[in-house]
Amino acid sequence: MTFGEKLHRLRRERGLSQEALAAELGVSRQAVSRWELGEVVPDTANVLAVSRIFGVSTDYLLLDECDREGQTPAAKSAERSLRERQAAVGQGFCARVLWLALISLFHQYRLDAAGGGEPPVPMWWLLAAELATAVWLGRLNWRYGAKEGGRFRDLVVPDLLAFTCAFGLPYGLEWVPGRWGILLGQLAAILLLVQSIKTLRLHYGLPWGKS
C-alpha cells in the first residue's frame, strides 16, 4: 500500500473528512487530496504530524511493503526480541523442572531397590541424565551471567540450595513414613527455584505476578 492509500484508510477509519484532517495538519484540503491520490508525497514535518495524529509509525506510512503496523522492521524486531526473551526463560524453566523430576525419580528408584524391588531403568541412566541436565542448566546460567548481563550468583545460589534440598532432604527424612521425605525435599526445592524463575523473568522484562 502506498502512503496515499494508507492515509485514506486511516482518515476514513477515524471518521475525518479531508477538510478536518487538513485543519489539524495546517494544510489545505487540496494538499490532503493530492497526498491520497499519490500525486505528491508530504514533507517530513507533515509525515511526522500524520504519524502523531493517527498513532502509527513513520515506517508504516512510508514503506509500501507494510500493509499494517506489525509488518514494520521495528515491530518485527521487537517481536523477535520478545520471542528470544521468552525462549530464554522457557529454557531455564524446563531445565529446572527436568532437574527436579530426575532427582525425584532417583530417590523413588533408590527406595524401591532398598526394599528389594528392581528399578524400571538402570540407576546409572538416571545419574547420567541428571548430570547432562545439570550441565545444560549450568550453561544457561553461564550465558545469563556472561552474555546477558545478569548476576551469576542470583541464579546459582538458589539453584544449588534447591539441589541440596531435593537431593539431601530425602536422606535426612528417611524416618518419615512413606515417601514424604521426597515430597518435602521437592517442595523446598520448588520454593527456591521459583526465585530463580522470577529473577529470569524480571531480567528479560517479562511480567511477574501483578507487576
Side-chain angles (χ1 to χ4, degrees):
M1 294 179 65
T2 65
F3 173 87
E5 291 171 331
K6 294 171 187 174
L7 178 61
H8 177 75
R9 184 173 71 178
L10 291 169
R11 179 177 62 78
R12 294 293 297 274
E13 288 175 352
R14 186 68 64 86
L16 291 174
S17 64
Q18 289 185 343
E19 291 82 357
L21 178 58
E24 286 197 47
L25 293 171
V27 298
S28 66
R29 185 197 66 79
Q30 288 78 11
V32 173
S33 177
R34 295 182 69 191
W35 295 345
E36 291 187 355
L37 292 173
E39 295 177 358
V40 295
V41 176
D43 58 25
T44 302
N46 282 318
V47 171
L48 290 172
V50 171
S51 170
R52 184 182 65 255
I53 289 172
F54 293 109
V56 296
S57 67
T58 54
D59 277 354
Y60 165 71
L61 292 172
L62 296 175
L63 296 176
D64 291 350
E65 64 269 23
C66 297
D67 291 336
R68 53 188 176 83
E69 184 71 23
Q71 293 177 337
T72 63
K76 290 180 179 178
S77 176
E79 184 179 352
R80 283 196 301 270
S81 175
L82 176 60
R83 287 201 302 267
E84 290 167 358
R85 288 183 285 125
Q86 289 174 332
V89 175
Q91 288 177 23
F93 176 80
C94 290
R96 288 168 173 84
V97 169
L98 179 59
W99 198 32
L100 286 186
L102 290 171
I103 292 176
S104 177
L105 287 176
F106 168 79
H107 284 299
Q108 295 281 356
Y109 296 169
R110 177 180 64 82
L111 293 179
D112 287 343
E118 184 69 23
V121 297
M123 290 294 285
W124 69 268
W125 285 18
L126 277 180
L127 293 175
E130 184 69 24
L131 178 60
T133 305
V135 170
W136 178 30
L137 183 57
R139 289 176 61 87
L140 292 176
N141 286 350
W142 175 84
R143 185 178 68 184
Y144 169 83
K147 296 186 176 182
E148 304 293 344
R151 291 199 306 174
F152 190 66
R153 66 180 183 183
D154 289 346
L155 293 181
V156 173
V157 171
D159 286 349
L160 289 178
L161 290 175
F163 175 80
T164 301
C165 290
F167 192 80
L169 275 181
Y171 284 105
L173 296 175
E174 286 188 345
W175 54 271
V176 178
R179 305 296 171 91
W180 287 100
I182 299 174
L183 177 61
L184 291 174
Q186 291 281 309
L187 290 176
I190 288 172
L191 292 176
L192 290 163
L193 291 183
V194 164
Q195 181 60 41
S196 295
I197 301 303
K198 178 181 179 180
T199 297
L200 281 173
R201 290 188 66 87
L202 294 179
H203 176 79
Y204 286 107
L206 300 178
W208 178 263
K210 296 182 179 179
S211 60

